[in-house]
Amino acid sequence: MRTIIIIPTYNESKNITHLINALQKQFKKIRHDLHVLIVDDNSPDGTAGEVKKLQSRFNNIHLLMGQKAGLGVAYTRGMAYAMEHLGAEVVFEMDADFSHKPEDVPRLMAEIDKGADFVIGSRYVPGGSIPKEWGTRRKLISRFGNIVARYLAGIYHVRDCTAGFRAIRTSVLRNIEFADLGVKGYAFQIALLHQVVVLKAKIVEIPVDFIDRTEGESKLGMKDVIEFVLNAWWIRFHSLKTFIKFLVVGASGVVVNLGFFTIFLTADINKYVASPLAIEISIISNFLLNNFWTFSRRKTKDRTRIRGVKFNIVSFLALGVSYGTFVALSIYFPNVAPQLHQLIGIVPATLINYFINANWTFKEVGND
Ligand code: GDD
Ligand code: MN
């Protein structure tokens, strides 16, 4: 398997030669075809020069140069190059400063061999660790980053969301639109992880010790922290987007329902006939809007007609839930205004309506 270790560098001349030598030793322990791709942003300290010297000794070292635009931009360029020009089947993300131990590379690779799509060298699973010498500020940034990623962006089941030591199958990366990630700096780590979660790839975390760098300095700045938090909000908003569209459609259904009801009444249709007719028309208009807007990007297995029938069934179920809530509240709280009971009934009905339609009517093929 062609595997490319991508190492972004900015002023890492004191580390890069040692690291590449250490990696070559580890490569001997791995059966696959391993290469190194250095993505250097014209480091003023001459990092690229060091890499070029090594290129004359080893034939598995590649160098990509560019303008400094952040860690995420460097990785995006590196991954695209590894896939398009180097035929990568697996890529690694790794830091140049020995924070990630070269000896751990075979361990991450072994998980890929066992079938994982995305392996994280994790500091926050049992057995993993962060440097003892890290000050409170650095510890807080890292902890805070993971809390934001897990609880704000919603990637709950991953312990180390911001880890920069990962092995990834390119069969997963090829399904990701990197231009849409919209991040430049360290936020890339969670933006990419989120996409991988959405694609339901197999994620495995294995413990690693993160070692504090002894040469050079960290490039993580305030700008990165801000972009990171904004990006977490963006991810949360995106995953809510489908639900918000569903609510908008539901609200439009109320207007359609009342509108047609009024039209039927003015046309002298009996109100007991006009009411179910208006209800059914609003269910159909809701279905069409959800079908062609809310869930339009989903590939579902049923034909539109079948989805329409399913949607109708769910709508009647929601009606039952709404009415059931109304009746129950009316019995338990007889002194409260019935409008309030009616209003509260809408909440569980909408949630159930959304949940069943999202996971049954508009269920994506292959998502079990
Ligand atoms: N090409 C390029 N361009 N490389 C960069 C840039 C950039 O703008 N910024 C950082 N790098 C390189 C560094 O040279 C180093 O090899 C690697 O990216 C990590 O940068 P550090 O500055 O050492 O990051 P850190 O130690 O603060 O952060 C580590 O922990 C973070 C989370 O806790 C890294 O592992 C991050 O990936 C991780 O998100
Ligand atoms: Mn570092």
Side-chain angles (χ1 to χ4, degrees):
M1 228 170 356
R2 176 60 72 91
T3 301
I4 316 287
I5 315 275
I6 303 176
I7 305 173
T9 53
Y10 194 71
N11 288 345
E12 304 286 2
S13 64
K14 292 210 177 97
N15 289 313
I16 198 65
T17 307
H18 298 304
L19 181 67
I20 292 178
N21 281 322
L23 281 172
Q24 299 290 6
K25 265 191 217 144
Q26 297 302 320
F27 290 174
K28 297 204 178 87
K29 300 181 189 163
I30 304 173
R31 283 178 301 110
H32 302 293
D33 176 21
L34 280 113
H35 292 243
V36 176
L37 171 61
I38 305 295
V39 187
D40 184 64
D41 289 351
N42 295 319
S43 299
D45 76 343
T47 305
E50 298 295 318
V51 177
K52 282 180 191 149
K53 277 189 228 159
L54 289 163
Q55 279 182 314
S56 54
R57 268 180 56 207
F58 302 107
N59 57 10
N60 61 346
I61 299 178
H62 311 266
L63 175 64
L64 195 60
M65 301 292 290
Q67 291 298 318
K68 183 162 169 33
L71 183 67
V73 175
Y75 267 126
T76 303
R77 281 210 322 273
M79 288 179 182
Y81 187 84
M83 288 190 279
E84 282 165 31
H85 301 285
L86 305 177
E89 290 165 87
V90 174
V91 294
F92 271 67
E93 288 182 355
M94 190 174 185
D95 292 352
D97 57 1
F98 281 95
S99 285
H100 305 140
K101 291 192 283 189
E103 305 90 271
D104 285 334
V105 168
R107 294 177 55 228
L108 266 71
M109 195 73 219
E111 295 298 324
I112 293 278
D113 285 335
K114 280 192 246 160
D117 295 314
F118 194 95
V119 185
I120 302 173
S122 176
R123 298 161 292 182
Y124 298 122
V125 291
S129 68
I130 53 172
K132 290 188 188 52
E133 48 288 14
W134 262 10
T136 322
R137 184 173 165 272
R138 192 68 174 82
K139 267 190 206 152
L140 277 179
I141 290 182
S142 186
R143 280 282 173 199
F144 170 77
N146 268 300
I147 289 171
V148 168
R150 293 181 67 198
Y151 298 99
L152 181 57
I155 314 173
Y156 308 109
H157 55 288
V158 174
R159 293 302 177 85
D160 194 347
C161 295
T162 59
F165 193 21
R166 317 195 280 201
I168 314 160
R169 275 181 201 273
T170 55
S171 54
V172 176
L173 293 182
R174 287 180 205 279
N175 294 318
I176 294 171
E177 209 50 78
F178 281 84
D180 292 349
L181 293 183
V183 285
K184 291 193 151 63
Y186 287 65
F188 173 81
Q189 305 294 18
I190 55 162
L192 178 67
L193 175 63
H194 175 250
Q195 286 303 311
V196 171
V197 170
V198 168
L199 288 167
K200 297 197 160 51
K202 185 171 181 225
I203 300 173
V204 172
E205 278 184 273
I206 60 166
V208 298
D209 297 315
F210 187 95
I211 315 295
D212 213 5
R213 67 154 80 225
T214 51
E215 297 291 344
E217 56 193 34
S218 169
K219 282 94 200 169
L220 186 114
M222 204 53 207
K223 211 171 106 191
D224 289 293
V225 176
I226 294 169
E227 185 191 42
F228 182 88
V229 175
L230 289 179
N231 184 247
W233 277 106
W234 178 243
I235 290 173
R236 165 52 46 115
F237 173 72
H238 251 266
S239 31
L240 275 178
K241 218 166 72 178
T242 313
F243 182 58
I244 292 169
K245 284 183 175 179
F246 191 83
L247 292 182
V248 171
V249 170
S252 82
V254 175
V255 177
V256 170
N257 185 337
L258 291 178
F260 273 91
F261 188 58
T262 312
I263 293 170
F264 292 149
L265 290 184
T266 39
D268 271 343
I269 296 176
N270 181 298
K271 67 177 180 187
Y272 294 106
V273 178
S275 170
L277 268 182
I279 291 174
E280 186 55 34
I281 291 175
S282 70
I283 291 177
I284 293 172
S285 80
N286 278 358
F287 170 69
L288 292 174
L289 285 171
N290 281 321
N291 192 65
F292 294 108
W293 184 54
T294 318
F295 297 107
S296 62
R297 292 179 78 169
R298 289 201 183 177
K299 288 185 198 71
T300 51
K301 77 174 193 309
D302 298 323
R303 301 157 131 234
T304 313
R305 242 177 306 157
I306 308 283
R307 284 201 297 274
V309 172
K310 285 183 168 179
F311 190 84
N312 244 288
I313 296 172
V314 180
S315 298
F316 284 120
L317 180 76
L319 189 81
V321 170
S322 181
Y323 183 62
T325 310
F326 173 79
V327 172
L329 289 175
S330 303
I331 293 168
Y332 288 109
F333 305 97
N335 302 324
V336 177
Q339 278 87 346
L340 192 62
H341 295 152
Q342 181 78 340
L343 185 71
I344 295 174
I346 295 175
V347 178
T350 306
L351 292 177
I352 286 175
N353 203 352
Y354 177 73
F355 187 78
I356 304 183
N357 277 313
N359 295 296
W360 183 52
T361 316
F362 297 102
K363 181 173 168 237
E364 193 127 42
V365 273
N367 275 0
D368 292 307

